[in-house]
Amino acid sequence: MGSGGSKKKQDTNSLIKTCTDHSAGVNCMSLNRDGTLLITGSEDRSARLWSTQSHECVGVLTGHADYITCVSFVDNYAVTASTDKTIRKWDLDTCDCVLVFTGHSSIVEKVVAAGGLLFSSSYDKTARCWQFDSGECVQTFVGHKRAVNPILFVAPDGDNSVRSYHETVDSTKDLVITGSLDSTAKAWSLDGKCKTTFKGHKNAILAMAVDRQGKTLFTGSMDSTVMAWTIESGDHLRSFEGHQGGIICIEISNKLMYTGSSDHTARCWVVDFGDCTREYKGHKHTVSSMAFHEGVLFTGSGDNCARAFDAKSGALKRTYRGHGFIINAVAVVDGKLFTASHDGTLKVWNAENLVAEDWGKPKKDEEDKENKRRNSNMDQQSYRSRPSTGMSEYDRRSREKIEQERKEREVMDMV
């Protein structure tokens, strides 16, 4: 949790607006697909819709009997999950609740949609699959020994990037993956059968992500590690070690993985090798949320501040001060950062001009270095094509290390 009111001066130069419509802490936030609407869920038992252009509240969703844990958009509807054990579906035009999903026997933690289905995870140790149109529960996933929190829908033949949405479902291939406080993750077929159990963590799994191709699962745990797994076989590929506290959030971008931890840092890792290439410092409490956007890593923290880091260099570019409690969620759209806090407010900040506009383009000196690397690669390839001369084990390992470092540099240049 946060450490109370901030004693530091508010960052008025970056603050655009403070929205105080909620009467209690804001727990969660989500953007719609075109970035025009935000939804926030609160301790005050309501959800609110916000225009990302005017920053005004354009809708209030009331009906839950307890605080809201998760919010999402599905087509022209909003979806909210609550500690009242239910999920609600809301018409975006009228703000009316059109459906209540009942069946869980404890807190509903997360929801994710795909095709005409809605999937949910719960503190009751199960996940469920619902028909989105009717609200009928068509499958219950039973097998975890403790609460189920993170939940993913994975399409092995589709796009599984962060902002993707699966219009259709292939019941023969697609999977649901759940992470639990019992230290395991499980992959389920849509008929409710557990295909694979991912065992290896020593503590609760709090965060999960998959690569864009839907082939590799990443699980973040309270044991301070992230583990990578082959989804199809369940084989453990590698562990990402370096954090000194639990892993709270994970985001995958191309060949890089960003993690936020209770050790007060965020880190960047090369997915294929497991090496930590950057550590983002400056937080004085847990990194509770993050968002990668156009070369910038935005973080929200229990120290009541949000921060913007140059993802490539690791340099802290801006600190957003003004919240009075932990920041539970961050979102970036149209050059603006939105932060939702347990202090009950939604704040809008200027997020422009944090990195050079040509951040994705190689500079002249970088082009020269790249040309040298390419020439060096050609020389190495030419060398490899020669008949073996009995290279020593030491020389072989040195060459492998140089080759791995070269590949890591190429991956970092993609940021």
Side-chain angles (χ1 to χ4, degrees), residues 51-230:
S51 165
T52 59
Q53 299 302 311
S54 68
H55 317 138
E56 296 293 332
C57 179
V58 295
V60 183
L61 314 178
T62 57
H64 279 294
D66 212 331
Y67 68 83
I68 293 175
T69 56
C70 182
V71 290
S72 183
F73 289 100
V74 181
D75 296 328
N76 295 317
Y77 298 93
V79 176
T80 57
S82 169
T83 54
D84 68 7
K85 308 175 188 177
T86 71
I87 303 161
R88 286 177 176 256
K89 175 181 175 181
W90 311 82
D91 186 298
L92 290 179
D93 294 325
T94 64
C95 292
D96 291 333
C97 179
V98 296
L99 202 57
V100 180
F101 301 76
T102 58
H104 280 297
S105 60
S106 189
I107 298 169
V108 183
E109 297 279 2
K110 305 290 183 189
V111 293
V112 61
L117 301 175
L118 184 71
F119 302 91
S120 59
S121 63
S122 171
Y123 211 77
D124 66 10
K125 307 177 187 178
T126 73
R128 286 178 178 250
C129 174
W130 315 79
Q131 287 286 353
F132 189 66
D133 288 340
S134 67
E136 178 189 359
C137 179
V138 294
Q139 196 57 251
T140 302
F141 305 93
V142 181
H144 283 295
K145 297 178 180 178
R146 297 187 66 186
V148 181
N149 189 357
I151 184 167
L152 301 172
F153 177 85
V154 179
D157 295 333
D159 180 0
N160 295 275
S161 54
V162 176
R163 297 287 292 162
S164 65
Y165 176 73
H166 302 281
E167 299 284 356
T168 60
V169 170
D170 185 341
S171 61
T172 65
K173 296 181 179 179
D174 296 343
L175 300 169
V176 176
I177 301 181
T178 54
S180 171
L181 299 189
D182 67 10
S183 307
T184 72
K186 290 179 179 288
W188 311 81
S189 58
L190 299 190
D191 61 3
K193 295 178 181 178
C194 181
K195 305 282 287 185
T196 310
T197 298
F198 306 92
K199 294 182 179 180
H201 283 295
K202 298 177 181 178
N203 210 326
I205 293 175
L206 301 182
M208 299 192 306
V210 295
D211 65 344
R212 187 165 192 163
Q213 294 72 34
K215 304 298 183 186
T216 306
L217 170 68
F218 301 87
T219 54
S221 169
M222 277 297 292
D223 66 12
S224 306
T225 69
V226 176
M227 291 187 175
W229 315 81
T230 301

Side-chain angles (χ1 to χ4, degrees), residues 8 35 51 79 119 182 209 215 240 259 296 307 337 371 378:
K8 293 189 177 181
S51 165
V79 176
F119 302 91
D182 67 10
K215 304 298 183 186
F240 301 78
T259 54
V296 180
R307 292 173 174 82
L337 170 67
N371 289 333
M378 291 175 65

Side-chain angles (χ1 to χ4, degrees), residues 8 27 93 95 117 123 152 166 174 203 209 232 249 251 277 288 328 349 357 396 411:
K8 293 189 177 181
N27 297 324
D93 294 325
C95 292
L117 301 175
Y123 211 77
L152 301 172
H166 302 281
D174 296 343
N203 210 326
E232 185 175 5
C249 42
E251 184 162 336
T277 59
S288 48
N328 289 317
W349 313 83
E357 291 184 1
R396 185 183 65 79
V411 171

Side-chain angles (χ1 to χ4, degrees), residues 162 209-212 218 250-254 256-258 271:
V162 176
V210 295
D211 65 344
R212 187 165 192 163
F218 301 87
I250 300 175
E251 184 162 336
I252 304 293
S253 178
N254 294 321
L256 299 176
M257 174 175 68
Y258 298 93
V271 167

